[in-house]
Amino acid sequence: MNKAELISQIRQKKSYLCVGLDTDLEKIPQFLLEYEDPIFEFNKCIIDATKDFAVAYKPNIAFYEALGAKGWQSLEKTVEYIPKDIFTIADAKRGDIGNTSKLYAKAFFENMDFDSITVAPYMGEDSVSPFLDFPGKWVILLAHTSNQGSNDFQLMTNREHDTAFYEEVIRKSRQWATDDQLMFVVGATRADKIGQIREIAPDNFFLVPGVGAQGGSLEEVSKYGMNKDCGLLVNSSRGIIYASKEEDFAEAAGKEAQALQQQMEQYLAEFKTV
Amino acid sequence: MNKAELISQIRQKKSYLCVGLDTDLEKIPQFLLEYEDPIFEFNKCIIDATKDFAVAYKPNIAFYEALGAKGWQSLEKTVEYIPKDIFTIADAKRGDIGNTSKLYAKAFFENMDFDSITVAPYMGEDSVSPFLDFPGKWVILLAHTSNQGSNDFQLMTNREHDTAFYEEVIRKSRQWATDDQLMFVVGATRADKIGQIREIAPDNFFLVPGVGAQGGSLEEVSKYGMNKDCGLLVNSSRGIIYASKEEDFAEAAGKEAQALQQQMEQYLAEFKTV
């Protein structure tokens, strides 16, 4: 999916909601365990219930890998099931030397038809560029993440430019790819920083985790992070998919997604720059 | 496997060789494709031929993920097949927020019985610590990698301590775990740096990729990197496993592994500090 298509979807749905599919056998309604593939069954119901309110789905790959080969099959079926006009994100945090990154790209972009993958920047350009060789596919590079540990290295000051390390990641990586192929992960728990980051990356989309369970504010993220194209994909995982653990889990997920979409509609009217 | 057991194995075999199982369907002898699981069949033969000369095996997870659920099964069988007295490394470069890292740890330490996993440091302590909660298991943290892109961010100077970023990763992470649980990835192509890194991490093992195909020198790595326990696991992948593409591939791999072991025996006598 290209940037124009993503923006068009955001306009049409009046939403920049990404639903995180952190699907955990211990947390899904227990009656689903009777199905042959409970993970896929759960995802299918969640997707059906939320697809009118969401512009992206983000399976967290760890949840599938923790189930071995069977989990991988559930993941393949899930990606296949997501409607083609909705953006898909493999939240995998990969990144390795060139020939290895190329294989990860093959796994997520060819074998499965994900639109994008999250990538860790530590190993530099040649660990990122193999993902950029796939036309129409996106890299979502970790910049300033939502967890406590983001303070350990991401905020270190680089002597040469007197900037934080995460800023260097953004500045440098923007030379590797256009904003048609490159997004950044910017945690919602950093709403104070998101405005500064918007200044150095005016046109890139940001994938924003951390709203909800992790405590970030949707309003602040939207206020400081939005650009003329919206430029945000705000993720919610647990708040939506585990809204209920009963028979009505899908309906409850749909309601949560809709509530977020309605807030987003308001913020789009209020904060989107012209 | 604990540190004492690893050191004992190095003494016994007079080797610090790690064999990288970067097993690629396009590169293995083509007659193996007739087997039901060619990847596992290849790995089995390589392990049988090299196990007397190697103290560690390192499957590169991307090669298995690129084959989907089937690749994951080949990986599970391979780990199971490696003799229990040989150290195993999941070369996965994972790292995510706490609850997600925990699931990756479960995938590699519980579902499969890997001794260790390579982890990317960008997200900081709470992305690393879930792997350290598994007794007897190891984190091998990326410090200074062997690829060209390692220059992009790892060499940035941190203003506060006037040190390179990779040094900060080493200094900080050594507060999170003892050298019984924490190793570092230090590329062989950085032999000039390995002596300096040894000074700031005197007791940690280093996993050293980049000898062979990537151009690093085993002699220099050994000379500058060794400590009183040896303290090195030097990886070779392609040079060993693809030494021949014919019927004699396993025999050829065994010979390459033995040749490296013999050099290592010499360097252990020459460079190991007392």
Side-chain angles (χ1 to χ4, degrees):
Chain A
M1 183 179 297
N2 66 31
K3 196 176 172 186
E5 288 163 334
L6 178 59
I7 295 169
S8 151
Q9 203 200 157
I10 290 170
R11 285 211 183 107
Q12 198 184 316
K13 290 183 175 166
K14 297 181 173 55
S15 167
Y16 42 100
L17 175 63
C18 173
V19 175
L21 298 171
D22 296 15
T23 309
D24 184 338
L25 277 180
E26 288 173 18
K27 289 190 184 154
I28 64 177
Q30 295 302 294
F31 72 89
L32 288 175
L33 300 182
E34 287 167 23
Y35 285 82
E36 200 201 324
D37 186 342
I39 297 286
F40 176 60
E41 195 61 34
F42 178 82
N43 287 349
K44 199 152 66 84
C45 296
I46 295 288
I47 293 163
D48 287 344
T50 58
K51 67 184 175 191
D52 291 340
F53 313 113
V55 296
Y57 287 103
K58 179 176 76 63
N60 182 333
I61 306 306
F63 286 76
Y64 302 85
E65 282 197 356
L67 302 172
K70 208 169 151 50
W72 205 260
Q73 283 165 340
S74 306
L75 177 62
E76 288 172 344
K77 280 154 59 183
T78 299
V79 183
E80 183 65 30
Y81 189 77
I82 296 171
K84 292 298 156 241
D85 59 347
I86 300 188
F87 193 74
T88 50
I89 301 166
D91 194 3
K93 314 275 199 311
R94 300 297 195 261
D96 207 314
I97 63 170
N99 72 331
T100 301
S101 274
K102 192 176 167 183
L103 286 169
Y104 282 126
K106 190 171 173 297
F108 292 104
F109 291 161
E110 273 187 11
N111 300 359
M112 290 180 280
D113 193 20
F114 276 103
D115 290 306
S116 66
I117 182 171
T118 56
V119 175
Y122 191 73
M123 293 180 69
E125 179 172 9
D126 57 5
S127 71
V128 176
S129 57
F131 295 101
L132 297 167
D133 291 340
F134 287 74
K137 303 294 187 182
W138 295 73
V139 162
I140 307 182
L141 201 63
L142 300 185
H144 198 6
T145 58
S146 59
N147 62 319
Q148 181 63 30
S150 66
N151 297 319
D152 286 327
F153 303 122
Q154 295 166 27
L155 295 185
M156 272 179 20
T157 308
N158 173 38
R159 195 178 53 189
E160 196 189 351
H161 298 129
D162 198 25
T163 50
F165 176 35
Y166 75 85
E167 293 180 66
E168 278 302 296
V169 167
I170 295 171
R171 282 180 211 278
K172 226 171 219 182
S173 64
R174 290 181 75 236
Q175 299 165 15
W176 307 337
T178 68
D179 52 271
D180 276 316
Q181 272 204 288
L182 183 64
M183 301 187 186
F184 296 106
V185 174
V186 182
T189 48
R190 310 291 164 184
D192 54 324
K193 296 253 168 58
I194 204 167
Q196 296 167 30
I197 298 176
R198 180 50 81 202
E199 281 178 31
I200 57 175
D203 298 321
N204 295 86
F205 263 83
F206 298 164
L207 170 64
V208 185
V211 162
Q214 292 180 62
S217 150
L218 176 60
E219 182 172 6
E220 294 212 341
V221 162
S222 304
K223 185 171 175 186
Y224 297 111
M226 225 176 253
N227 68 10
K228 66 177 175 10
D229 300 321
C230 171
L232 298 174
L233 294 174
V234 173
N235 184 73
S236 174
S237 303
R238 289 167 270 183
I240 291 177
I241 69 175
Y242 301 130
S244 159
K245 294 191 178 184
E246 310 302 324
E247 295 264 351
D248 68 341
F249 73 98
E251 200 189 332
K255 277 185 191 159
E256 284 297 323
Q258 187 173 23
L260 281 169
Q261 179 274 321
Q262 285 170 346
Q263 287 180 53
M264 288 176 173
E265 184 168 348
Q266 184 194 324
Y267 298 144
L268 277 169
E270 203 168 338
F271 300 129
K272 192 157 78 72
T273 55
V274 184
Chain B
M1 180 180 300
N2 65 31
K3 196 177 173 186
E5 288 165 333
L6 177 59
I7 295 169
S8 152
Q9 202 200 154
I10 290 170
R11 285 211 183 106
Q12 197 184 319
K13 288 183 176 166
K14 298 180 171 56
S15 168
Y16 41 101
L17 176 62
C18 173
V19 175
L21 298 172
D22 297 13
T23 309
D24 183 340
L25 277 180
E26 288 174 18
K27 288 189 184 155
I28 65 176
Q30 295 302 294
F31 71 89
L32 288 175
L33 300 183
E34 287 167 24
Y35 285 82
E36 198 200 327
D37 186 343
I39 296 287
F40 175 61
E41 194 60 35
F42 178 83
N43 287 349
K44 199 153 68 85
C45 295
I46 294 288
I47 292 164
D48 288 343
T50 58
K51 67 183 177 191
D52 292 340
F53 313 113
V55 297
Y57 287 102
K58 180 176 76 62
N60 182 333
I61 306 305
F63 286 75
Y64 302 86
E65 281 197 357
L67 301 173
K70 209 170 149 51
W72 204 261
Q73 283 165 339
S74 306
L75 177 63
E76 288 172 343
K77 280 152 64 181
T78 298
V79 182
E80 183 64 29
Y81 189 77
I82 296 170
K84 292 296 156 244
D85 60 347
I86 301 188
F87 192 76
T88 49
I89 301 165
D91 195 1
K93 314 275 197 315
R94 298 299 195 263
D96 207 313
I97 63 170
N99 73 332
T100 302
S101 274
K102 193 176 167 184
L103 286 170
Y104 282 127
K106 189 171 174 296
F108 292 104
F109 291 161
E110 273 187 12
N111 300 359
M112 292 180 278
D113 192 21
F114 276 102
D115 291 305
S116 66
I117 183 171
T118 56
V119 175
Y122 191 74
M123 293 181 68
E125 179 173 8
D126 57 6
S127 70
V128 175
S129 56
F131 295 102
L132 296 166
D133 290 340
F134 288 73
K137 303 294 187 181
W138 296 72
V139 162
I140 308 182
L141 201 62
L142 300 186
H144 198 7
T145 59
S146 58
N147 62 321
Q148 181 63 30
S150 65
N151 297 319
D152 286 327
F153 303 121
Q154 296 166 26
L155 296 185
M156 272 178 21
T157 308
N158 173 37
R159 194 177 55 188
E160 196 189 350
H161 298 129
D162 198 25
T163 50
F165 176 35
Y166 75 87
E167 291 180 70
E168 277 303 295
V169 168
I170 295 171
R171 283 181 211 275
K172 224 170 220 183
S173 64
R174 289 181 75 236
Q175 299 165 16
W176 308 336
T178 69
D179 53 271
D180 276 317
Q181 273 205 287
L182 182 63
M183 302 189 184
F184 296 105
V185 174
V186 183
T189 48
R190 311 290 164 184
D192 55 323
K193 297 254 169 56
I194 204 168
Q196 297 168 29
I197 297 176
R198 180 51 79 201
E199 282 177 32
I200 56 175
D203 298 321
N204 295 85
F205 263 83
F206 298 164
L207 170 63
V208 185
V211 160
Q214 291 181 61
S217 151
L218 176 60
E219 183 171 7
E220 294 212 342
V221 162
S222 306
K223 185 172 174 184
Y224 297 111
M226 225 175 252
N227 67 10
K228 65 178 175 8
D229 299 322
C230 174
L232 298 174
L233 294 174
V234 174
N235 184 75
S236 174
S237 303
R238 290 167 268 183
I240 291 177
I241 69 175
Y242 301 130
S244 159
K245 293 191 178 185
E246 310 301 325
E247 296 264 352
D248 68 340
F249 73 96
E251 199 189 333
K255 276 186 189 159
E256 285 297 322
Q258 187 172 26
L260 281 169
Q261 179 275 320
Q262 285 170 346
Q263 286 180 52
M264 287 177 173
E265 183 169 350
Q266 184 193 325
Y267 299 144
L268 277 169
E270 203 168 337
F271 301 128
K272 192 158 77 71
T273 56
V274 184

